[in-house]
Amino acid sequence: MRSFQAWAALLAMMASGWAAASDPLPPDQFGMEPLPARTPHWIYVVDSAFMNETDSRVRLYDADTHGHLGQIDAGFFPGVTLSPDRNTMAVGTTYFARGGHGERTDVVEFTDMTTLALTGEIVLPAKRAQATPTYFNLGYSSDSHFLYAAYITPAASFGVLDPASRKVLGEIETAGCVLVIPWGPNHVSSICDSGRLLTVMVDAQGNEVSRALSNLFFDVDTDPLFVQGIPTDRGYTFLSFLGKVHEVDFSGPEPVIHAPWSLVSTAETGQWRPGGQQLGAIQRRMGRLYVAMHRGGEGTHKKGGTEIWVFDLGTHRRIARWPVPPLKLGAVTAVQVSQDEAPLLFLASDTPAAVATLDALTGRLRHVDTNLGQTPWLILNP
Amino acid sequence: MQRLDRLFESSARSLAQRTSRRSFIGVLGRILTGSLLVPLLPIDRIHRAEAASGPEGSPAAAQRVPAAAKGKSTTKAYTEDQQSCDYWKYCAIDGFLCSCCGGSSHTCPPGTQQSVVSWIGTCHNPADGRDYIVSYNDCCGKASCGNCDCYRNERERPLYRLSRNNDVNWCMANTGSDYHCTVSVILGSAGP
């Protein structure tokens, strides 16, 4: 026994001696983490911060690592867009000099998306459309020469900006038509209360040279068109309240509006419908359309989806219905999909606030993140 | 006033595209009724038509009672409780109820500014069986109230039909244009 105690004492002394002899931790190097190279599985989540709207943010998230990579401040009712080369994020927003009050400044702020550093701004007239986020609150021309900002005062118009020289070039009125859908180097379309598209062509200085109205293609009274377009290879797809799909080709000299098709059967019409803030997304490589759908009547068009319906864009056939409740997610208010060969589907809810990542081929849930803001209403691909 | 002039020019163009001259006269009479209270709001007759028949021809569209209050038309929340989102006057509201922020269903909280532009809805009052044209005005100049978030969209329409849209900041034309909360102001009966 005495021998055992002696050995134990010896071991304890050796252990404490080793601990005392080990080196202390070195001083930390205080610095800034570099932003890693972006991947197709990043997303930019626009949090409109509805409970405190002057404090919107854009959050960078890596769906492969579940990492929160950084943030861009976005102010009040922001419009958010990326340059065609994806290296610059433009945020059109409003600040008040003293928080919730004081002098109003409307501004477009530019962020370098390789560093997340602010690189400049353009101060706008106090006319910016302070509306919920869509792709069309702010947008670049295809050659990055112009940036267009939607104005509502409530008179509708848009500002033509020069992002290179950081200047406002002018303003073009669009009475009865709202938002900016830039296409090509010098065209901007807007969606009209009359059920048409207005298209304005500008010259090299950003001045209007012509305008044209499309044919009537939707009925605002019986089946309005959502303003949240979904990017396609050749333009945008728009959904209607009752589930009609309107594909608009902006790749030619003028918009070509294809005959609509329907997400819902005759029996489902008026019962099931799309809804939310960012209603759907298209995986262009696979030709698949994902839409947040819910069962509901008139007045439920902003209700989030309780199912995700998946369509083949070639056949217009529904190929899957994925119920949302098993994902432990609230009603889906925003949908996005990555454009790579192993695509991920992103579904956001604001009640409770969360963003789910799924395999876009199978619908299998990979992860749910609950720290991406309070009202994630728009998700952009990098 | 220039902004209002442009708004009415826009509304007039839109109305002219959608209605015949004869129907316009009918509309005008209804507008004048409502305009006794608020003379400069862009009302059109579509709300009334939809309230009567439903805009989309579907069984669900035929409902007269707002979805959020369906089955509750006799409850106190729907008929009396102005701090409840189910209250009948809030049928197309999307925001914070001023009645939970120091104001009432139709008055702004102290120290805020009343919005100078607004959107319009038609809501059904179960107490007297009438439809009413209401103006949804925001109260402005202070940060978001954050209380009683209310989210109903009966007959609400997208941004291009601005007079019926609640996705835009209706404090936009005020000197203090931060959004605080929303009220629902009865303009007049929408029916005979």
Side-chain angles (χ1 to χ4, degrees):
Chain A
M1 189 65 186
R2 182 174 295 177
S3 171
F4 173 77
Q5 289 172 337
W7 277 108
L10 182 62
L11 285 171
M13 287 175 61
M14 290 172 67
S16 63
W18 284 335
S22 67
D23 293 331
L25 293 172
D28 283 331
Q29 283 290 328
F30 180 49
M32 186 174 65
E33 197 69 28
L35 191 66
R38 60 180 175 257
T39 80
H41 289 176
W42 282 19
I43 49 173
Y44 305 140
V45 180
V46 180
D47 172 15
S48 294
F50 185 66
M51 299 299 285
N52 45 304
E53 290 176 300
T54 53
D55 196 19
S56 301
R57 297 107 186 270
V58 182
R59 298 169 189 267
L60 273 65
Y61 178 70
D62 183 340
D64 287 331
T65 64
H66 313 151
H68 293 243
L69 303 178
Q71 171 181 306
I72 296 168
D73 295 350
F76 183 63
F77 277 101
V80 180
T81 193
L82 286 159
S83 60
D85 66 7
R86 321 303 274 179
N87 286 331
T88 301
M89 178 172 281
V91 176
T93 190
T94 297
Y95 294 109
F96 301 101
R98 288 171 172 75
H101 58 280
E103 185 179 358
R104 166 182 172 175
T105 301
D106 285 11
V107 64
V108 175
E109 296 181 322
F110 299 93
T111 296
D112 180 336
M113 295 309 285
T114 64
T115 63
L116 299 194
L118 277 171
T119 57
E121 66 177 32
I122 302 174
V123 175
L124 305 177
K127 295 181 172 185
R128 194 184 62 84
Q130 296 171 333
T132 50
T134 74
Y135 282 107
F136 308 133
N137 300 40
L138 184 72
Y140 279 90
S141 61
S142 64
D143 60 3
S144 299
H145 187 60
F146 296 123
L147 183 63
Y148 306 103
Y151 293 165
I152 296 178
T153 64
S157 61
F158 65 85
V160 183
L161 319 179
D162 181 347
S165 67
R166 309 282 200 237
K167 288 180 180 171
V168 177
L169 298 177
E171 177 181 355
I172 295 173
E173 67 83 18
T174 58
C177 308
V178 296
L179 299 175
V180 288
I181 308 171
W183 53 277
N186 58 354
H187 287 92
V188 182
S189 293
S190 300
I191 309 173
C192 303
D193 185 46
S194 62
R196 303 165 192 269
L197 288 178
L198 169 70
T199 297
V200 174
M201 189 169 84
V202 298
D203 64 17
Q205 287 71 47
N207 300 310
E208 177 179 346
V209 292
S210 67
R211 64 172 55 204
L213 277 173
S214 74
N215 291 330
L216 187 81
F217 73 104
F218 68 95
D219 188 323
V220 182
D221 297 324
T222 59
D223 189 15
L225 196 74
F226 286 103
V227 296
Q228 296 91 339
I230 303 170
T232 67
D233 277 334
R234 304 176 72 83
Y236 291 93
T237 286
F238 295 88
L239 307 180
S240 75
F241 278 24
L242 289 178
K244 287 279 193 307
V245 181
H246 298 266
E247 297 169 333
V248 185
D249 185 338
F250 288 106
S251 64
E254 60 187 35
V256 176
I257 301 165
H258 295 287
W261 54 280
S262 183
L263 299 171
V264 291
S265 67
T266 303
E268 292 164 340
T269 299
Q271 307 295 321
W272 282 90
R273 62 182 69 208
Q277 298 288 337
Q278 186 178 15
L279 311 159
I282 288 174
Q283 217 293 336
R284 300 191 283 275
R285 186 186 299 264
M286 296 192 302
R288 286 191 182 178
L289 167 65
Y290 302 84
V291 185
M293 299 289 292
H294 69 276
R295 187 189 289 274
E298 208 292 320
T300 66
H301 50 281
K302 288 195 270 183
K303 182 180 175 186
T306 56
E307 293 187 7
I308 303 301
W309 289 12
V310 187
F311 293 85
D312 182 306
L313 286 174
T315 63
H316 300 168
R317 286 185 56 238
R318 185 176 62 207
I319 56 178
R321 289 175 69 162
W322 294 336
V324 171
L327 307 176
K328 307 296 184 193
L329 195 67
V332 170
T333 50
V335 180
Q336 185 56 279
V337 65
S338 69
Q339 299 297 325
D340 58 314
E341 292 181 346
L344 299 179
L345 182 68
F346 303 101
L347 307 176
S349 162
D350 57 17
T351 316
V355 176
T357 304
L358 291 76
D359 183 321
L361 297 173
T362 64
R364 185 181 64 84
L365 178 66
R366 288 172 50 136
H367 187 69
V368 176
D369 197 297
T370 57
N371 294 303
L372 285 165
Q374 52 177 276
T375 43
W377 285 346
L378 180 67
I379 301 174
L380 302 178
N381 291 127
Chain B
M1 283 308 290
Q2 188 177 5
R3 287 174 175 155
L4 286 174
D5 289 345
R6 293 169 72 174
L7 170 64
F8 281 100
E9 180 185 355
S10 167
S11 297
R13 286 178 194 275
S14 173
L15 191 64
Q17 290 173 355
R18 296 195 306 274
T19 57
S20 68
R21 188 171 302 176
R22 181 172 295 179
S23 71
F24 175 75
I25 294 171
V27 177
L28 188 61
R30 217 167 354 256
I31 290 173
L32 290 174
T33 303
S35 67
L36 292 175
L37 291 173
V38 178
L40 292 176
L41 292 169
I43 304 167
D44 65 42
R45 74 192 188 97
I46 293 161
H47 311 78
R48 178 74 186 119
E50 288 182 2
S53 63
E56 300 176 331
S58 66
Q63 65 188 27
R64 303 267 316 264
V65 178
K70 201 171 183 181
K72 301 179 183 175
S73 59
T74 58
T75 66
K76 185 178 177 183
Y78 188 48
T79 57
E80 298 177 25
D81 186 357
Q82 300 187 14
Q83 294 190 342
S84 167
C85 187
D86 288 335
Y87 185 56
W88 71 272
K89 267 202 310 182
Y90 300 148
C91 71
I93 210 166
D94 183 356
F96 305 113
L97 300 180
C98 290
S99 53
C100 300
C101 306
S104 73
S105 71
H106 60 280
T107 56
C108 288
T112 60
Q113 298 177 10
Q114 302 157 58
S115 69
V116 297
V117 290
S118 70
W119 78 102
I120 302 293
T122 299
C123 299
H124 181 72
N125 179 6
D128 63 8
R130 293 177 185 275
D131 293 333
Y132 286 89
I133 299 173
V134 298
S135 161
Y136 295 103
N137 285 73
D138 287 342
C139 301
C140 314
K142 292 180 185 286
S144 306
C145 164
N147 293 338
C148 297
D149 180 10
C150 181
Y151 188 63
R152 291 170 62 185
N153 296 291
E154 285 101 49
R155 293 171 289 282
E156 194 262 359
R157 289 295 179 262
L159 194 61
Y160 45 76
R161 183 152 289 177
L162 199 60
S163 64
R164 297 174 62 194
N165 178 261
N166 64 23
D167 275 339
V168 72
N169 174 28
W170 283 100
C171 293
M172 67 179 103
N174 282 59
T175 51
S177 64
D178 198 358
Y179 166 75
H180 185 65
C181 63
T182 304
V183 298
S184 173
V185 182
I186 296 175
L187 299 184
S189 170

